[in-house]
């Protein structure tokens, strides 16, 4: 069953790479505390959407739904405040991609110097990717129980079927749900260009696989794509 966007936490412990944890109980316990941090940093200015030439609004990333979270590196005890916020490209999007919109780096002890290697190696991209995989997983049919998944049509999909050729979208029920599952599996396996791999698996032109993935994204079954990234 899908969940409303408001019910899905922006950051969960499982989103963090090995070696990073969220303090329990959390240091920042409420949205009000996040708002207070924004205010202290003069980061609470509102940026309202500007109309495009055609009169439509281009987006609504005005900062009001940003939220700060504290994470800690287990080995070094370095603490990092991450500000997370949904990014909406079009007003019609039901659920925006979560991006890191602010970082505050805190060495273990006040007065300690900032360690450049740690700063360079903050796993921001990995955290964003993990968050968005989870966000879209809980809003779509992407969870297997006992090796099977009941698709929207009632069809029972076995875990082993996900990586098989996809076939004809006009003849297969839940085709784009399976596209999303296959793409997500390839991303999780570290495939550098999952869409190209999907084309290879199904023996179709790359443009065909790209169309499938674009359609799955439009249906909200996959996170929005990133400019400049393959797959």
């Amino acid at each position: 069953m899908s969940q409303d966007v408001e019910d899905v936490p922006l950051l969960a412990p499982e989103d963090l790479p090995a070696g990073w944890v969220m303090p329990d109980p959390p240091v920042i316990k409420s949205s009000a505390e996040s708002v207070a941090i924004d205010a202290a940093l003069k980061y609470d200015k509102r940026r309202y959407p500007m109309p495009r030439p055609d009169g439509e609004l281009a987006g609504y990333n005005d900062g009001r739904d940003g939220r700060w979270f504290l994470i800690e590196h287990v080995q070094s005890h370095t603490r990092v405040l991450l500000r997370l916020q949904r990014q909406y490209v079009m007003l019609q999007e039901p659920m925006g991609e979560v991006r890191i919109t602010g970082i505050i780096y805190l060495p273990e002890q006040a007065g300690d110097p900032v360690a450049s290697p740690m700063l360079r190696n903050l796993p921001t991209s990995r955290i964003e990717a993990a968050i968005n995989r989870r966000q879209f997983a809980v809003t779509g049919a992407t969870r297997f129980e006992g090796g099977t998944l009941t698709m929207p049509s009632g069809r029972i999909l076995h875990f082993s079927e996900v990586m098989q050729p996809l076939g004809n979208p006009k003849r297969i029920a839940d085709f784009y749900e399976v596209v999303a599952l296959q793409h997500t599996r390839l991303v999780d396996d570290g495939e550098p260009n999952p869409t190209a791999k999907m084309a290879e698996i199904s023996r179709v032109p790359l443009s065909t696989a790209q169309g499938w993935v674009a359609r799955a994204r439009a249906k909200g079954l996959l996170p929005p794509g990133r400019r400049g990234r393959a797959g």
Side-chain angles (χ1 to χ4, degrees), residues 125-217:
S125 295
R126 292 171 62 190
I127 292 172
E128 283 183 347
I131 291 170
N132 286 295
R133 281 199 300 272
R134 174 178 56 81
Q135 297 275 320
F136 280 81
V138 298
T139 57
T142 58
R143 297 220 170 174
F144 285 87
E145 295 182 4
T148 64
L149 174 69
T150 302
M151 305 300 284
S153 67
R155 168 192 173 194
I156 301 300
L157 183 74
H158 293 269
F159 187 80
S160 59
E161 296 178 77
V162 172
M163 298 309 297
Q164 294 179 3
L166 293 166
N168 188 330
K170 295 182 179 180
R171 298 180 181 177
I172 298 175
D174 313 302
F175 179 83
Y176 292 103
E177 282 80 2
V178 183
V179 167
L181 289 168
Q182 189 174 102
H183 188 279
T184 299
R185 179 84 63 83
L186 289 166
V187 170
D188 288 344
D189 289 345
E191 173 60 44
N193 194 330
T195 305
K197 186 64 177 179
M198 293 171 69
E200 178 184 329
I201 292 170
S202 292
R203 298 182 180 180
V204 297
L206 176 59
S207 59
T208 299
Q210 289 172 331
W212 293 344
V213 171
R215 179 67 172 162
R217 292 193 198 282

Side-chain angles (χ1 to χ4, degrees), residues 22-29 33 70 72:
M22 295 177 66
D24 186 19
V27 174
I28 303 170
K29 300 178 181 179
E33 291 178 346
L70 184 72
E72 182 173 342

Side-chain angles (χ1 to χ4, degrees), residues 3-44:
Q3 293 177 250
D4 292 333
V5 59
E6 292 82 3
D7 297 331
V8 183
L10 284 180
L11 185 68
E14 60 266 27
D15 299 329
L16 301 179
W20 290 87
V21 297
M22 295 177 66
D24 186 19
V27 174
I28 303 170
K29 300 178 181 179
S30 68
S31 297
E33 291 178 346
S34 283
V35 170
I37 294 174
D38 276 350
L41 297 172
K42 309 297 184 185
Y43 204 48
D44 57 343

Side-chain angles (χ1 to χ4, degrees), residues 66-85:
R67 177 75 186 274
W68 290 94
F69 294 86
L70 184 72
I71 65 174
E72 182 173 342
H73 188 246
V74 175
Q75 185 175 3
S76 69
H77 299 289
T78 295
R79 293 171 299 155
V80 178
L81 275 171
L82 298 178
R83 188 181 191 275
L84 302 177
Q85 182 179 345

